[in-house]
Amino acid sequence: MTFNVTEVLEIPIGVGSITVESLLYFAVILVVGVAVARVVSTNVRRALMERLPKSERELLVKLVYYGIVLWALVIALPQLKFDLSGLLVAGGIAGLVIGFASQSVVSNLVSGLFLMFEHPIKIGDGINVAGVSGSVEDIRILSTIVKTHDGIFTRIPNEKVFTSNITNYVHNAARRFEYQISVRYEDDADAAIRIIKEVIWTHPFALKSPAPSVFVDNFGDDGVNLTAYIWAPARNWWDVRTSLLWQIKQKLEENGIEMPYPQRTVWFADELKVTTGDTGTKGAEE
Amino acid sequence: MMFGRYNDTFRYESGDILVETERIGGLLTYLRRCEGQTFERLLVSETAEIVINPVEPVNLPKEITDYLLMEFSPMLIEPGVTQTVYLKFPVEVGVFLEAARDIEVLDVFGLGTQKYTLYGPPTSGVIARWYRSAVYTEVPTVEPFREGVMELSIQNASHEWAEVSCAVFDSVDMKIYYNNVVTTTARMKIITPTMAETDFTDAPLRPDMTRSIELYTVRKIPVINRGYLMEWGLS
């Protein structure tokens, strides 16, 4: 007795015109689909391990897994003589409706993924984005949470973050800030510059390099205007900025150098006469 | 000598430094004064030992970096030559609470002032604790608790003369030994005239020295002897 595989494969299973062969194809496509889904979802989980919180990561992994399995099912179903044309029309219309409805959600999701891979901001960074200044509290799939300097919770959709100009104040290791300091015209500007540099030197986080720069910037109405450029670690610059200025003022005053007060010299064309009541002219002063 | 292990109460006072523990009621009080600054903690412990030893000098006035930049007189080094020199490096003192199951940092203090600098460009450089030292050919005399001795072996592995006036180290793999002097041993391998690798070696300068407990081990930072690649110049 001979065993013909082709004949076996063509045996109908008794449901419509489905044969053993088409049933086998259906099973193979489905098994391959599930295997691919597992491999891809495992790799997605691994890739997002340190980028996403567990709840959001698992949600995304499940979406990927079931998406691939569904795709395999759609490919496999015609083997069982399922006519998907009706499903495709219905799916197309449903897809169109869902697509329009979820346009912003998908846009935020994709923007969130780009943010996670491009890394323009990290949790804890001080940023300004879409007009909101503060520190990044969390970067989620759909939105970024920023805590403003006043401690206000602000949720910004990722699409807005991604398409806005992002200013990250701490991305670089160091940043520069400046002071405008005025001294009187009669004060020694060179001495003032030396004293300011000495005060800057005493602060641990006023960086030695790039070196601070202090110079006479311009001559103002009331005094000589000095400018000081100081570099500090990006994450500590505010502490440096707030602590140094008062120290500079105190040290200058200790050395007899003071801030100028607004002043104006008035010259009179004629003699200025001072009169009191009915006693007539008492004297004259310039 | 302040460094060592202490059980229960002790007192050390020298110059501007006072470190003591005293038992008041059932509680142990730790008190430290250093250059006018005071730190005090109540300790609830039955078995813990207090360990005081030198630690990586990158924690004061607060921890913002792991890097230490040593600046010294410029040296021109011939290709292929290896030279060992001695530098003075800043010392910070760490106080640890050690129990059978865990060790915890209690206090870090130090004498003198600190200064930080940027090594490399602002966009990709690193902030580093800055310290300037003269170059010595023999172990120099140092002020206790303020400075230690770094043995630095500089090897010019490039084919050109190299000018060196600074060395940047990642303090995370710094190994510190002490007895009456604090020491560390480091290497600097010049790859090109503008690039070098630096790292620390786990070796005491003298045979009778004690190894310090480092802060990074207490903070449980996993480290694989990583060293540092100086890619922004050597001077």
Side-chain angles (χ1 to χ4, degrees):
Chain A
M1 185 183 167
T2 56
F3 182 75
N4 193 333
V5 177
T6 316
E7 283 177 6
V8 172
L9 288 175
E10 285 171 357
I11 296 170
I13 61 166
V15 182
S17 59
I18 299 170
T19 59
V20 173
E21 184 186 8
S22 46
L23 195 65
L24 270 175
Y25 271 126
F26 174 81
V28 167
I29 292 170
L30 216 56
V31 168
V32 170
V34 169
V36 170
R38 279 199 180 166
V39 171
V40 173
S41 58
T42 306
N43 282 301
V44 167
R45 182 182 285 118
R46 205 172 290 160
L48 299 175
M49 191 68 84
E50 288 176 1
R51 295 171 196 270
L52 276 182
K54 194 182 174 188
S55 55
E56 293 183 10
R57 189 176 66 229
E58 289 306 314
L59 183 71
L60 204 68
V61 167
K62 275 181 190 167
L63 272 174
V64 169
Y65 179 82
Y66 288 112
I68 294 171
V69 170
L70 192 70
W71 186 39
L73 195 68
V74 169
I75 293 172
L77 275 176
Q79 301 298 328
L80 301 182
K81 311 300 177 198
F82 269 89
D83 184 11
L84 292 178
S85 55
L87 194 68
L88 280 176
V89 173
I93 293 167
L96 211 62
V97 172
I98 292 168
F100 273 113
S102 62
Q103 192 184 8
S104 61
V105 175
V106 173
S107 173
N108 282 319
L109 179 83
V110 173
S111 299
L113 290 175
F114 277 116
L115 280 176
M116 279 158 200
F117 286 102
E118 195 195 331
H119 272 304
I121 53 175
K122 294 196 299 288
I123 291 172
D125 284 358
I127 62 160
N128 182 318
V129 64
V132 179
S133 273
S135 63
V136 179
E137 287 286 294
D138 201 1
I139 303 169
R140 298 176 181 167
I141 279 193
L142 298 177
S143 62
T144 297
I145 307 302
V146 175
K147 187 176 81 179
T148 68
H149 300 303
D150 301 328
I152 310 292
F153 171 98
T154 310
R155 177 188 177 277
I156 309 172
N158 280 339
E159 186 194 6
K160 200 168 186 181
V161 176
F162 192 66
T163 54
S164 300
N165 291 338
I166 299 173
T167 307
N168 190 330
Y169 296 111
V170 295
H171 190 267
N172 292 343
R175 65 165 290 177
R176 196 182 75 175
F177 64 90
E178 71 173 75
Y179 290 135
Q180 300 288 337
I181 301 156
S182 294
V183 296
R184 297 173 303 189
Y185 273 103
E186 60 264 38
D187 290 329
D188 182 352
D190 285 334
I193 289 171
R194 178 179 50 76
I195 291 163
I196 293 168
K197 282 186 174 175
E198 283 171 5
V199 175
I200 293 170
W201 175 259
T202 59
H203 199 293
F205 296 137
L207 297 178
K208 180 194 170 279
S209 173
S213 171
V214 186
F215 54 92
V216 174
D217 196 12
N218 59 64
F219 301 115
D221 291 340
D222 307 313
V224 179
N225 294 326
L226 309 177
T227 295
Y229 288 130
I230 302 157
W231 285 85
R235 292 188 182 271
N236 305 85
W237 78 278
W238 185 249
D239 297 338
V240 182
R241 189 183 184 281
T242 49
S243 67
L244 262 183
L245 192 56
W246 187 247
Q247 290 175 30
I248 289 172
K249 190 251 183 195
Q250 285 180 316
K251 204 71 182 174
L252 287 173
E253 284 183 352
E254 278 173 24
N255 288 274
I257 297 172
E258 293 186 6
M259 307 293 129
Y261 291 106
Q263 52 184 286
R264 190 168 296 275
T265 305
V266 181
W267 295 90
F268 293 94
D270 302 320
E271 278 189 348
L272 185 64
K273 291 179 180 175
V274 178
T275 57
T276 56
D278 56 355
T279 57
T281 304
K282 297 285 274 186
E285 293 175 15
E286 278 192 356
Chain B
M1 184 64 178
M2 175 172 55
F3 300 139
R5 290 177 174 271
Y6 300 92
N7 286 303
D8 206 43
T9 58
F10 71 95
R11 180 184 173 89
Y12 175 86
E13 188 168 10
S14 172
D16 283 336
I17 300 176
L18 164 70
V19 186
E20 67 172 355
T21 53
E22 58 179 341
R23 195 167 282 281
I24 303 169
L27 288 173
L28 202 60
T29 306
Y30 167 83
L31 174 74
R32 180 264 298 168
R33 279 199 203 99
C34 181
E35 293 184 330
Q37 292 191 317
T38 303
F39 176 82
E40 195 173 342
R41 278 288 179 279
L42 290 174
L43 308 177
V44 181
S45 165
E46 291 174 355
T47 60
E49 274 189 328
I50 291 180
V51 183
I52 304 178
N53 64 218
V55 291
E56 307 91 300
V58 289
N59 306 284
L60 298 175
K62 68 176 180 182
E63 191 196 346
I64 62 163
T65 181
D66 287 333
Y67 298 99
L68 172 67
L69 187 150
M70 297 291 299
E71 190 179 312
F72 42 82
S73 310
M75 286 188 272
L76 266 172
I77 302 173
E78 189 184 324
V81 166
T82 302
Q83 176 68 46
T84 298
V85 295
Y86 297 92
L87 306 171
K88 292 179 181 179
F89 74 95
V91 164
E92 289 177 10
V93 180
V95 182
F96 302 89
L97 284 170
E98 190 177 58
R101 291 183 179 179
D102 195 21
I103 185 164
E104 182 63 47
V105 184
L106 174 63
D107 186 19
V108 180
F109 63 94
L111 291 168
T113 56
Q114 301 82 33
K115 193 70 181 168
Y116 286 78
T117 190
L118 176 70
Y119 173 69
T123 46
S124 48
V126 292
I127 301 293
R129 165 87 187 265
W130 173 85
Y131 200 76
R132 182 167 178 78
S133 166
V135 176
Y136 303 89
T137 51
E138 291 178 353
V139 177
T141 308
V142 290
E143 198 177 332
F145 312 130
R146 190 181 289 271
E147 289 177 320
V149 177
M150 175 187 284
E151 185 186 77
L152 177 62
S153 169
I154 306 175
Q155 179 197 0
N156 186 357
S158 76
H159 299 292
E160 298 168 67
W161 283 81
E163 185 174 326
V164 186
S165 65
C166 73
V168 182
F169 301 97
D170 187 345
S171 72
V172 165
D173 72 337
M174 190 172 189
K175 317 294 190 298
I176 299 172
Y177 285 84
Y178 67 91
N179 49 18
N180 56 344
V181 64
V182 178
T183 69
T184 188
T185 312
R187 291 182 300 202
M188 180 179 192
K189 184 181 177 185
I190 299 166
I191 305 163
T192 73
T194 57
M195 205 182 275
E197 286 172 348
T198 61
D199 66 353
F200 289 97
T201 46
D202 190 1
L205 208 57
R206 292 171 187 153
D208 57 339
M209 302 190 94
T210 310
R211 166 97 183 256
S212 273
I213 298 171
E214 291 94 2
L215 282 169
Y216 70 87
T217 51
V218 176
R219 288 171 181 155
K220 299 174 182 66
I221 302 166
V223 176
I224 305 161
N225 193 20
R226 57 188 198 184
Y228 182 68
L229 176 66
M230 293 175 64
E231 51 184 327
W232 308 111
L234 312 180
S235 54

